[in-house]
Structures are given as C-alpha cells and as structure tokens.
Amino acid sequence: QSVLTQPPSVSAAPGQKVTISCSGSSSNIGNNFVSWYQQLPGTAPTLLIYDNNKRPSGIPDRFSGSKSGTSATLGITGLQTGDEADYYCGTWDSSLSAVVFGGGTKLTVL
Amino acid sequence: QVQLQQWGAGLLKPSETLSLTCAVFDGSFSGYYWSWLRQPPGKGLEWIGEINHRGSTNYNPSLKSRVAMSTDTSKNQFSLKLNSVTAADTAVYYCARVFRPTWYFDLWGRGTLVTVSS
C-alpha cells in the first residue's frame, strides 16, 4: 500500500488530454513539493516535473504539474503513442521522514 | 553530461548481503546528495536512503536497521549495502542524484536487478 494514491490506469486517444491525480496528506503533499516521473517500459524513471510545476530542460510543455492542498495532478496534452508509460508522483513525508511515492499510473494511448 | 553507472551482484541467497556501487561521471560529486531506490518486479518505487559527499546519511526508517551507505570521494562513487536479504528484497535497484531541499531525483542510473533466491 503506497502512501500516495494514484489511479492504477488511465487511457485516452492520440491527440487528447489526460490528467493523473496523486492524493496524499498534510504530512507529505500538503507541506512539501511534488515531483513526477515517467518510466517507459524496461527503463529507469526520468524526471518530468519538479517543485510541483517546473519542467526540466528537454521536457516538452505538453507536460504540466499542479498542486492544491493535499493533492497533485499531472497533465499531458497532445497525447502520443510514445507517452505510453508508467507515471509516478513523489514527495517528502515529514511524519515518516522518508521520500514516498504513489503506486504508479499506467497510461495507455489508445 | 553527468552520468551514473552502477554495478553489483545480481543473484544472492537469503541472509546474504546485497552490495551495489554507483559511479558519477562527468559531473560534480560534492554538493549533492545521492540516493538508492528500488522497484520490486511489477511494483512501484521505494526510497532506500541517501548520502552526501561528507558521508552524512539519511535512511528510510523501514529499512534503516539493515542498510549502510558509504562514499569514496576519490573515485566519485557511492555504495549501498543491505544485509540479511530475503526474497522480499528482490527488485531493480537504482542509484540517483537527489536535489535538495525539495526532494526530487533528476538523474538516474540504469538499474541493477537483484534476485534473492535459495
């Protein structure tokens, strides 16, 4: 059971938009920054979003992040088949004194 | 461009000690924290802990009693030891660079599959 809650799967058609939610509590998302990672099949995760809504260089603006209260959201617009991957949210948990992650969301581009 | 290269034994027996090393190439070692994470087959990510170039560590409380991390600053390397492994420790282990204080991992190694089996 992961500390952060994500939907197991989401799907949408190419060109469409999808959002992935990440729900936590005041000890984690509510008082700390959220990051998002993309994990393509058989590869290591890569950083997509950091500090709630910032994109590392090289990440297209089709990817966006937001946070409100104890929840965070990853948005992906203009979906491409190459976006099919697992997506994870992560943050620091002040009560556990550990970095925690969501269980991951599998994105299918139909 | 900074790269992380990791290596270590991939097959262990129960009760043995897992040992992995990660080298930092073409980048600064000092001034950063360096982490280990793992991912059991088909499951999500778990943070194991972190270390900086001075050897200051911070471990996940769930693994703290079995984990030790160390650095070799002369080689720009950091290492993980996890003792008394069981089948539950079977996972892909990743090394990563941590950006503090907002706790994100901006650089990852390729991962090492460690299988614990008798």
Side-chain angles (χ1 to χ4, degrees):
Chain A
Q1 193 80 355
S2 301
V3 174
L4 306 180
T5 301
Q6 298 180 235
S9 63
V10 296
S11 62
Q16 297 300 304
K17 173 183 177 178
V18 72
T19 60
I20 297 173
S21 61
C22 176
S23 178
S25 68
S26 59
S27 66
N28 43 65
I29 292 178
N31 284 285
N32 294 289
F33 287 92
V34 177
S35 54
W36 289 90
Y37 304 87
Q38 178 191 59
Q39 186 173 33
L40 297 169
T43 68
T46 58
L47 180 65
L48 264 186
I49 298 289
Y50 67 98
D51 292 359
N52 300 333
N53 56 18
K54 296 182 174 65
R55 283 177 288 106
S57 60
I59 300 300
D61 59 6
R62 300 188 299 108
F63 295 90
S64 64
S66 64
K67 188 183 99 168
S68 178
T70 59
S71 293
T73 301
L74 173 70
I76 311 173
T77 60
L79 279 171
Q80 303 173 1
T81 56
D83 296 331
E84 287 201 333
D86 293 324
Y87 293 84
Y88 294 91
C89 56
T91 188
W92 177 257
D93 190 297
S94 305
S95 294
L96 297 174
S97 295
V99 176
V100 293
F101 292 94
T105 299
K106 183 176 182 61
L107 169 63
T108 301
V109 181
L110 302 168
Chain B
Q1 187 170 353
V2 185
Q3 293 185 46
L4 302 182
Q5 183 174 337
Q6 58 181 104
W7 65 90
L11 181 61
L12 297 173
K13 290 181 168 50
S15 80
E16 292 185 336
T17 296
L18 178 156
S19 182
L20 298 173
T21 299
C22 185
V24 181
F25 291 99
D26 300 326
S28 173
F29 187 70
S30 303
Y32 289 99
Y33 272 80
W34 304 92
S35 255
W36 290 96
L37 304 96
R38 68 181 183 178
Q39 184 173 35
K43 297 187 178 180
L45 298 165
E46 180 180 30
W47 177 73
I48 299 171
E50 63 176 7
I51 188 167
N52 69 3
H53 71 284
R54 296 190 191 91
S56 177
T57 56
N58 188 15
Y59 299 143
N60 189 326
S62 68
L63 295 167
K64 188 174 184 176
S65 63
R66 297 194 292 131
V67 171
M69 295 182 186
S70 59
T71 60
D72 184 339
T73 54
S74 67
K75 297 180 180 178
N76 281 8
Q77 294 177 0
F78 60 105
S79 298
L80 167 70
K81 289 191 185 300
L82 179 68
N83 61 38
S84 304
V85 297
T86 69
D89 295 310
T90 294
V92 176
Y93 286 74
Y94 296 101
C95 58
R97 188 172 70 181
V98 187
F99 195 90
R100 295 271 228 103
T102 56
W103 300 94
Y104 62 87
F105 305 94
D106 67 336
L107 191 65
W108 295 68
R110 296 181 70 174
T112 299
L113 174 60
V114 177
T115 302
V116 180
S117 175
S118 56

